Amino acid sequence: MTTKEEVLECSVANFTKFGSKRFTMDELASSLGVSKKTIYKFFENKEDLVIQCVELLIQNYKDEIKSIDEDPITSIILIYKKAFQHVSHFKPSFIFGLKKYYPKANLVFDEFRDYTLNTLIFPLLVVAQTDGIIRPEVNLRLFCDLYFVRFEEIALKNNIFFDNYTNEELLRHFIIYNLKGITKEGYKIDFE
């Protein structure tokens, strides 16, 4: 018998590969070898399934980063390194489809973005600035808004970046070089 977890795993794999709008419930049922009725025993509708898929992706990511316990700058880099590893497997239609077709799922994703930026990244930047790693004149909120808000939308735009550059190159240009620009002279970022 097919479990809810199996439906979620199959859905995540296909939604991130083809887009949640494009991959249909009929295709999902077929790939699982079950009827749509079986899927609807676990989920109210497709949007409920998409929401739970987004929540699963978020939880998997949070589980991977919860053990990061380095200095503030290294922690930020590792958090984004994991993010790039996850996002590089998404087709642009997955993220953009949430916004267009599944507003409740998009809200879950937006709340996660806010959580990541305001609960994880910003406090680490504050600690780094308090510890004298980041120059005191840097407006950390502005820095976050300029460089860290919605980076995945920029990176996923038409898949150009993930098709043409490695995750390491993207991490350096999106995150590391921007962090280097605000750290005090002489501070060495270990990802050289």
Side-chain angles (χ1 to χ4, degrees):
M1 176 158 172
T2 302
T3 66
K4 180 178 182 178
E5 290 72 27
E6 290 171 326
V7 174
L8 278 171
E9 286 176 24
C10 184
S11 299
V12 164
N14 286 293
F15 288 165
T16 57
K17 184 177 181 180
F18 300 110
S20 50
K21 179 68 174 169
R22 188 164 164 239
F23 191 76
T24 68
M25 295 298 272
D26 287 325
E27 290 170 317
L28 177 60
S30 176
S31 62
L32 288 166
V34 300
S35 69
K36 285 196 309 189
K37 185 177 179 181
T38 301
I39 296 169
Y40 286 120
K41 285 194 304 191
F42 302 118
F43 307 96
E44 290 178 35
N45 52 41
K46 188 172 181 184
E47 183 161 33
D48 181 38
L49 174 60
V50 173
I51 289 168
Q52 290 190 46
C53 286
V54 169
E55 289 171 342
L56 178 63
L57 285 166
I58 289 168
Q59 190 56 54
N60 290 343
Y61 175 74
K62 284 181 174 181
D63 289 346
E64 284 190 38
I65 66 169
K66 70 181 172 190
S67 63
I68 294 173
D69 187 24
E70 302 287 333
D71 67 84
I73 299 296
T74 302
S75 292
I76 291 168
I77 293 168
L78 291 173
I79 288 167
Y80 278 104
K81 183 175 185 174
K82 287 289 182 191
F84 276 105
Q85 289 169 353
H86 282 264
V87 171
S88 68
H89 301 292
F90 295 2
K91 290 294 179 197
S93 58
F94 176 66
I95 299 291
F96 297 115
L98 294 179
K99 186 182 290 187
K100 188 171 183 179
Y101 302 110
Y102 302 103
K104 292 177 185 170
N106 190 60
L107 182 61
V108 170
F109 190 68
D110 282 346
E111 288 170 354
F112 170 67
R113 274 188 189 128
D114 290 343
Y115 164 83
T116 301
L117 192 60
N118 296 314
T119 306
L120 300 176
I121 302 302
F122 188 76
L124 288 168
L125 290 169
V126 170
V127 169
Q129 194 171 49
T130 302
D131 290 349
I133 297 169
I134 294 176
R135 295 192 308 264
E137 69 272 13
V138 173
N139 179 329
L140 297 177
R141 183 58 59 199
L142 177 59
F143 179 80
C144 285
D145 289 346
L146 288 171
Y147 299 109
F148 293 155
V149 173
R150 299 187 181 275
F151 86 90
E152 77 286 344
E153 287 182 5
I154 296 167
L156 284 170
K157 190 84 170 173
N158 300 319
N159 246 20
I160 291 170
F161 290 112
F162 286 107
D163 288 344
N164 295 326
Y165 304 101
T166 67
N167 282 359
E168 190 67 29
E169 288 175 298
L170 293 171
L171 180 68
R172 285 182 184 282
H173 285 78
F174 271 104
I175 307 301
I176 295 172
Y177 295 152
N178 286 315
L179 288 171
K180 279 181 128 185
I182 64 171
T183 56
K184 285 191 169 181
E185 193 170 323
Y187 179 79
K188 179 152 173 51
I189 294 180
D190 291 332
F191 286 82
E192 307 292 345

